[in-house]
């Protein structure tokens, strides 16, 4: 694998969905032509493209309701999966308005949830998407409901969707004055309640940013690379970000050409949001230091640690999940200074004071990346936040034992919540007088980047006069 191809490997669900949103504005008639030469088992059973899409989307939403990833079955063709990803992204993004509209029209509570999801799919296709006639969307949803739940519930779906066609305009714009505030902002009730500490303007600005499509950005790994005639015209340089002055990021205006590999990219690129450069940059790895990245997959921050040290730091990258370790290996297999370890960050398999520096990018609520993971609007709850805060605390306490005196610990999240960020660190420092806060930054989501938080802590060492102190890293002197 070349460094060029490593740019294509960090394709988590959010990036794939965002790619689908921009690059797959495919009509169902076009999809029929595309897939006519590659028949799936569903097509062989004479199932239409629109029916395949609705069936696959309903399946994916049911997986999500059961706590799993919202993915289409692998049995459908690639073009259909692309349309399904686009549809799922839209359902999660617009679910506040969709659910409000369903509640206005349904004569009773919609049950079971699988039936509710079929209605959501229909509303999304009719009011928030192009490429399928509203009548066709109704017919397909009714057909799926009849197959799964029988004639009576299919009639209910038909009545609700056809009443919606008569009463609502595209995007439900004609209902704006009737919408509750959290619905106008496109937020789940729990997220809206969580953010009530913000001013009205701050809340509206944040919500508006998170409703926009996230840009696809890439980082140039080799800053010394020259820009010649081969430079793809669809990569546009972004302004320097103050939290990552040593990184060069570009906006990709043609994801399809990037992901299909039509162009060989000079210099080596990695698909990466600029906010993810915050934590590695403030850790500032030095040559010959031993550095641990304890929650490393898929590897973007690990690679940046290597790049910042010009490949001269000794980096241990760890993750607990086998599938994620595999992705981490794919993304780092050309890096001689990176060793991979499978392990649990709550109980890391390393000796006391083993590292000069540790990067701890902990599991979090992901509220800073809602543009890329719109389902976070609906996963978030105070209960899940409390569980995450406790998990983060355990991981942070364990990581602290791995830092040598004078060494650095960088804790980071892609969350906007104080409980996971500043409050978490204040609590840690209250119980760890041998650590000192060196620097801290919260990034609010913006046009070209997601939200993120990072803090650098130093483990104090004993001076010759018996005083505790932190040895400054060369970049801080």
């Amino acid at each position: 694998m070349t460094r060029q191809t490593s740019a294509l490997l960090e394709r988590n669900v959010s990036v794939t969905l965002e790619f689908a949103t921009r690059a797959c504005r495919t009509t169902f008639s076009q999809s029929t032509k595309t897939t006519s030469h590659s028949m799936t088992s569903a097509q062989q059973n004479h199932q239409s493209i629109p029916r395949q899409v609705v069936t696959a989307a309903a399946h994916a939403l049911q997986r999500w309701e059961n706590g799993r990833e919202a993915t289409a079955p692998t049995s459908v063709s690639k073009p259909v999966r692309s349309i399904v990803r686009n549809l799922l992204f839209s359902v999660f993004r617009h679910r506040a308005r969709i659910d409000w509209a369903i509640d206005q029209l349904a004569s009773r509570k919609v049950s079971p949830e699988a039936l509710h999801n079929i209605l959501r799919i229909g509303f999304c296709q009719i009011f928030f998407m192009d490429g399928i006639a509203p009548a066709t969307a109704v017919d397909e949803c009714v057909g799926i409901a009849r197959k799964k739940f029988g004639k009576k519930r299919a009639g209910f779906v038909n009545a609700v969707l056809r009443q919606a066609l008569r009463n609502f305009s595209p995007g439900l714009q004609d209902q704006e004055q009737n919408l509750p505030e959290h619905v106008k902002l496109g937020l789940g009730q729990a997220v809206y309640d969580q953010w009530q500490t913000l001013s009205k303007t701050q809340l509206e600005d944040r919500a508006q940013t998170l409703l926009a499509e996230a840009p696809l950005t890439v980082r140039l790994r080799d800053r010394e690379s020259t820009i010649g005639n081969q430079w793809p015209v669809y990569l546009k340089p972004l302004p320097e970000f103050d939290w990552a002055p040593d990184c060069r990021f570009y906006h990709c205006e043609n994801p399809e050409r990037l992901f299909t590999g039509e162009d060989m990219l000079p210099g080596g690129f990695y698909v990466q949001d600029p906010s993810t450069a915050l934590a590695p940059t403030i850790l500032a790895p030095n040559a010959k230091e031993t550095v641990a990245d304890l929650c490393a997959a898929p590897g973007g921050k690990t690679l940046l640690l290597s790049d910042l040290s010009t490949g001269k730091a000794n980096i241990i990258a760890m993750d607990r999940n086998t599938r994620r370790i595999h992705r981490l290996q794919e993304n780092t297999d050309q890096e001689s200074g990176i060793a991979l370890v499978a392990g649990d960050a709550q109980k890391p398999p390393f000796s006391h004071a083993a590292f000069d520096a540790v990067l701890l990018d902990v599991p979090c609520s992901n509220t800073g990346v809602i543009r890329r993971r719109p389902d976070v609007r609906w996963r978030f709850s105070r209960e899940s936040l409390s569980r995450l805060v406790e998990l983060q605390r355990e991981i942070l306490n364990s990581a602290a034992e791995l830092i040598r005196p004078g060494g650095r610990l960088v804790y980071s999240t892609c969350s906007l919540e104080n409980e996971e960020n500043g409050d978490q660190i204040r609590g840690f420092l209250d119980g760890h007088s041998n650590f000192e806060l060196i620097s801290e930054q919260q990034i609010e989501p913006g046009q070209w980047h997601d939200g993120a938080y990072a803090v650098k802590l130093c483990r104090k060492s004993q001076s010759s006069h018996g005083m505790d102190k932190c040895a400054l890293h060369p970049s801080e002197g």
Side-chain angles (χ1 to χ4, degrees):
M1 183 193 308
T2 66
R3 284 191 173 188
Q4 287 93 331
T5 57
S6 73
L8 309 181
L9 291 171
E10 194 175 35
R11 297 192 201 179
N12 56 25
V13 173
S14 56
V15 171
T16 305
L17 287 172
E18 204 56 60
F19 167 50
T21 301
R22 290 190 297 271
C24 297
R25 305 290 191 189
T26 312
T27 65
F28 285 89
S29 60
Q30 290 172 326
S31 299
T32 304
K33 295 176 183 178
T34 303
T35 55
S36 62
H37 299 293
S38 178
M39 301 292 283
T40 66
S41 60
Q43 289 169 298
Q44 290 170 352
N45 291 329
H46 309 292
Q47 193 176 55
S48 68
I49 298 298
R51 180 62 59 87
Q52 289 183 62
V53 169
V54 174
T55 301
H59 170 85
L61 289 174
Q62 191 58 50
R63 280 175 53 92
W64 185 87
E65 296 289 351
N66 294 332
R68 301 168 69 188
E69 196 173 307
T71 55
T74 57
S75 58
V76 299
S77 66
K78 287 184 179 180
V80 170
R81 284 203 299 274
S82 293
I83 300 171
V84 171
R85 285 193 292 266
N86 189 17
L87 174 55
L88 292 172
F89 195 93
S90 296
V91 167
F92 285 126
R93 173 178 281 165
H94 300 296
R95 179 168 156 172
R97 288 175 181 253
I98 291 170
D99 282 1
W100 178 86
I102 292 172
D103 288 345
Q104 302 310 299
L105 299 180
S107 58
R108 60 181 184 273
K109 178 178 173 59
V110 182
S111 180
E113 195 63 16
L115 186 68
H116 206 165
N117 284 333
I118 292 173
L119 279 172
R120 288 177 177 128
I121 291 167
F123 268 79
C124 188
Q125 290 181 319
I126 292 168
F127 296 107
F128 297 98
M129 298 184 72
D130 299 321
I132 182 171
T136 302
V138 173
D139 290 344
E140 296 305 331
C141 289
V142 170
I144 294 295
R146 182 182 295 110
K147 181 178 179 180
K148 287 180 173 291
F149 302 109
K151 184 177 180 180
K152 183 177 180 180
R153 283 175 170 165
F156 171 73
V157 169
N158 183 64
V160 171
L161 291 179
R162 294 197 182 280
Q163 188 178 354
L165 281 172
R166 293 192 297 270
N167 292 349
F168 297 145
S169 67
L172 308 181
Q173 294 302 316
D174 58 330
Q175 299 296 315
E176 199 70 24
Q177 64 182 5
N178 301 321
L179 300 177
E181 193 62 27
H182 76 279
V183 175
K184 289 181 182 178
L185 297 175
L187 299 174
Q189 186 68 57
V191 175
Y192 178 77
D193 292 344
Q194 172 73 11
W195 291 349
Q196 286 306 293
T197 56
L198 300 175
S199 70
K200 186 175 187 295
T201 299
Q202 289 173 326
L203 178 57
E204 289 176 350
D205 288 348
R206 178 183 287 182
Q208 191 65 34
T209 298
L210 295 176
L211 275 173
E213 293 181 3
L216 180 63
T217 54
V218 297
R219 178 176 65 86
L220 178 63
R221 295 196 58 199
D222 182 4
R223 282 185 58 87
E224 304 304 317
S225 175
T226 58
I227 301 178
N229 294 329
Q230 289 183 301
W231 196 261
V233 296
Y234 58 81
L235 290 184
K236 305 299 183 183
L238 293 177
E240 183 179 287
F241 298 98
D242 61 6
W243 62 83
D246 293 327
C247 295
R248 291 164 63 183
F249 285 94
Y250 297 80
H251 175 220
C252 177
E253 296 181 335
N254 192 329
E256 187 172 12
R257 289 185 67 179
L258 177 68
F259 285 122
T260 55
E262 289 183 24
D263 298 280
M264 293 301 293
L265 301 183
F269 284 84
Y270 194 81
V271 175
Q272 192 165 15
D273 187 88
S275 67
T276 64
L278 172 62
T281 298
I282 69 170
L283 187 141
N286 211 12
K288 299 184 179 179
E289 282 191 316
T290 302
V291 179
D293 184 355
L294 295 185
C295 304
K301 292 183 178 69
T302 306
L303 285 175
L304 183 50
L305 288 172
S306 178
D307 293 344
L308 290 171
S309 70
T310 62
K312 296 176 182 177
N314 300 308
I315 300 172
I316 308 296
M318 186 181 83
D319 213 282
R320 64 179 297 179
N321 183 284
T322 302
R323 178 175 59 87
R324 289 170 62 82
I325 283 284
H326 177 68
R327 288 180 60 198
L328 181 60
Q329 183 175 19
E330 287 182 322
N331 285 340
T332 62
D333 67 355
Q334 296 294 307
E335 310 302 316
S336 59
I338 299 175
L340 306 187
V341 173
D344 185 348
Q346 289 176 271
K347 298 178 181 179
F350 306 113
S351 59
H352 179 78
F355 298 103
D356 299 298
V358 168
L359 174 60
L360 198 59
D361 187 40
V362 295
C364 70
S365 63
N366 298 306
T367 52
V369 293
I370 284 178
R371 289 190 304 181
R372 302 184 190 279
R373 299 190 58 181
D375 64 314
V376 169
R377 291 177 172 90
W378 315 107
R379 284 279 193 225
F380 182 89
S381 68
R382 291 295 304 177
E383 294 75 15
S384 64
L385 180 62
S386 296
R387 290 193 295 271
L388 280 167
V389 168
E390 180 57 34
L391 173 62
Q392 292 160 356
R393 183 180 299 115
E394 293 177 7
I395 293 174
L396 184 55
N397 290 336
S398 296
E401 299 300 315
L402 306 179
I403 311 296
R404 67 164 179 80
R408 310 178 307 287
L409 170 60
V410 170
Y411 169 94
S412 71
T413 74
C414 57
S415 167
L416 304 175
E417 313 316 313
N418 289 331
E419 294 91 334
E420 301 177 85
N421 299 334
D423 291 351
Q424 180 75 272
I425 294 305
R426 274 42 174 198
F428 171 81
L429 291 173
D430 285 345
H432 294 79
S433 59
N434 59 330
F435 277 84
E436 178 182 345
L437 192 153
I438 303 300
S439 64
E440 179 180 34
Q441 186 168 354
Q442 173 79 61
I443 301 173
E444 187 73 13
Q447 179 183 4
W448 299 113
H449 57 81
D450 295 329
Y453 169 85
V455 58
K456 175 158 61 176
L457 307 173
C458 173
R459 183 176 179 181
K460 300 174 184 176
S461 59
Q462 202 73 12
S463 72
S464 58
H465 302 290
M467 300 290 290
D468 288 337
K469 66 175 185 178
C470 272
L472 287 179
H473 185 265
S475 65
E476 302 160 352

